[in-house]
Amino acid sequence: MADLIAWVMVLAIAAYVCAGGTDYGAGFWDLMAGGAERGKQPRRLIDHAMAPVWEVNNVWLIFVFIVMWTGFPTMFQAVFEAMWLPLALAAVGLVLRGAGFALRKPSRRLAQRRVYGAAFAISSLLTPFFLGTVLGGVASGRVAVGTTASADAWANPTSVLAGLLAIAATAFLGAVFLCSDARRFGADELVDYFRLRALLAFGAVVVLALIALPVTHSDARYVWQGLTGGWGLLLTVLAAVCGLATVLLVLRRSYGWTRYTSAASVALAVGAWGFAQRPFVLPTSLTVAQAAGAAHTLRWLAIVTLIAIVLVGPALVLLYRLDTMGELEPLTDADTRAARTPGDNP
């Protein structure tokens, strides 16, 4: 039962990285869009593409925390004691990001829109970075039961690279999804705009992954061994294949399957990390069995999770499907042509 709950947690992390990561990536490109005039069209597309589902994606993060503190309380305590600072910074980023996105659109003064937009965009960069540093600290074995908070736990080479990879991966996802959104909404000039950025982001992922190879070999030995053999290696190879398939489709301007292949590449990478850590939740000090809560707690957690999948799962699938089809909030011609609105003027 503990192993089953652990894999549920890994799947939930993968879902959050893909769904929430796409939103973070959109925020990253919002930050990179330039000044008010030059970045008007990309930002308007980002607003309309994110608006229907941006709040829903954080459900996955809440689910991860619930499973962790209920199913693996020892792990939860160890991680939050050692990593309270990056987790707190990520939480602040989540709040500022949500507030900035929600308040930017109705603001009628350009100065206010810039402030809220900056809060949204900068938080979209910092939040995945700090969450990535936490995963890197765990993977490198720097977190154990009783570990006190220190900069070394999350400001080490593996953590920094994991944070940078998180930013690059979310930027890749965001650009790929925005290519499809721009095409669906008829904003043809933005298709090539985000197509170029998807290719650049994938290049950044590849460069960072190559840099991470020797760093992981020396700094996170146990995870390195798991990633270079067995199921971890297989999923890593499949993740690379899905990433290359996405690039090929983007180069051919065939966007029908790019959402699925890009999300699969990131999800498979998370799965590879999960296999690489087996049987530990905190390499190499705490196994899944040692971290697991009471047996009856795990049984009830499994029952509640199953009920949630049956009741909530179909609704989420329908929501994402409707959003993908553009049924929730279609973009108008005035929007795609970046028509002026009262909020553009001071």
Side-chain angles (χ1 to χ4, degrees):
M1 184 64 70
D3 286 338
L4 175 62
I5 297 299
W7 282 113
V8 168
M9 185 169 63
V10 172
L11 290 174
I13 292 173
Y16 180 65
V17 170
C18 291
T22 302
D23 282 354
Y24 290 131
F28 175 84
W29 296 120
D30 187 293
L31 180 65
M32 298 290 109
E37 190 63 31
R38 185 162 66 92
K40 188 186 303 180
Q41 282 185 298
R43 289 192 177 103
R44 188 161 283 121
L45 175 65
I46 289 168
D47 281 348
H48 282 269
M50 287 181 56
V53 297
W54 71 278
E55 290 181 292
V56 175
N57 292 327
N58 287 321
V59 169
W60 297 110
L61 182 61
I62 296 169
F63 183 67
V64 170
F65 286 153
I66 290 174
V67 171
M68 188 189 299
W69 81 53
T70 307
F72 305 99
T74 306
M75 174 194 179
F76 183 86
Q77 179 182 356
V79 170
F80 273 75
E81 282 184 350
M83 300 286 193
W84 69 266
L85 181 56
L87 286 169
L89 292 173
V92 171
L94 281 170
V95 174
L96 292 178
R97 183 175 180 275
F101 183 77
L103 296 174
R104 178 172 66 175
K105 182 179 283 189
S107 298
R108 301 181 65 85
R109 296 186 62 85
L110 181 59
Q112 291 177 330
R113 291 169 66 88
R114 283 176 171 167
V115 171
Y116 294 136
F120 162 68
I122 294 174
S123 298
S124 297
L125 180 72
L126 296 179
T127 300
F129 175 79
F130 286 120
L131 291 176
T133 61
V134 172
L135 290 179
V138 170
S140 64
R142 287 178 166 83
V143 180
V145 177
T147 299
T148 57
S150 68
D152 180 64
W154 61 277
N156 55 79
T158 301
S159 289
V160 171
L161 275 172
L164 294 176
L165 272 170
I167 293 173
T170 57
F172 174 60
L173 284 173
V176 169
F177 275 60
L178 286 168
C179 277
S180 298
D181 287 328
R183 182 169 175 265
R184 185 176 72 242
F185 292 140
D188 296 332
E189 69 279 8
L190 292 179
V191 175
D192 286 339
Y193 176 91
F194 285 111
R195 175 176 175 268
L196 174 61
R197 281 150 180 78
L199 297 175
L200 291 174
F202 183 77
V205 171
V206 172
V207 170
L208 289 170
L210 292 176
I211 295 173
L213 290 177
V215 172
T216 307
H217 181 268
S218 60
D219 196 50
R221 187 72 178 182
Y222 186 85
V223 171
W224 162 265
Q225 292 174 346
L227 290 174
T228 55
W231 283 99
L233 177 60
L234 176 61
L235 292 188
T236 300
V237 171
L238 290 176
V241 169
C242 288
L244 292 173
T246 304
V247 169
L248 180 61
L249 291 171
V250 169
L251 287 172
R252 293 172 57 88
R253 291 181 168 83
S254 178
Y255 302 107
W257 285 90
T258 54
R259 290 175 181 261
Y260 304 106
T261 55
S262 61
S265 67
V266 175
L268 287 167
V270 174
W273 161 72
F275 274 105
Q277 284 201 179
R278 287 189 311 167
F280 294 99
V281 288
L282 296 177
T284 53
S285 61
L286 188 67
T287 65
V288 172
Q290 292 169 340
H296 67 277
T297 301
L298 294 179
R299 284 195 295 269
W300 277 108
L301 182 59
I303 293 171
V304 171
T305 300
L306 179 61
I307 294 173
I309 291 173
V310 172
L311 295 180
V312 181
L316 289 176
V317 171
L318 178 61
L319 177 65
Y320 288 133
R321 180 61 178 167
L322 290 174
D323 179 52
T324 301
M325 296 172 65
E327 297 291 335
L328 298 180
E329 188 176 337
L331 211 62
T332 66
D333 290 340
D335 288 325
T336 57
R337 296 192 182 101
R340 297 188 68 82
T341 66
D344 292 332
N345 297 312

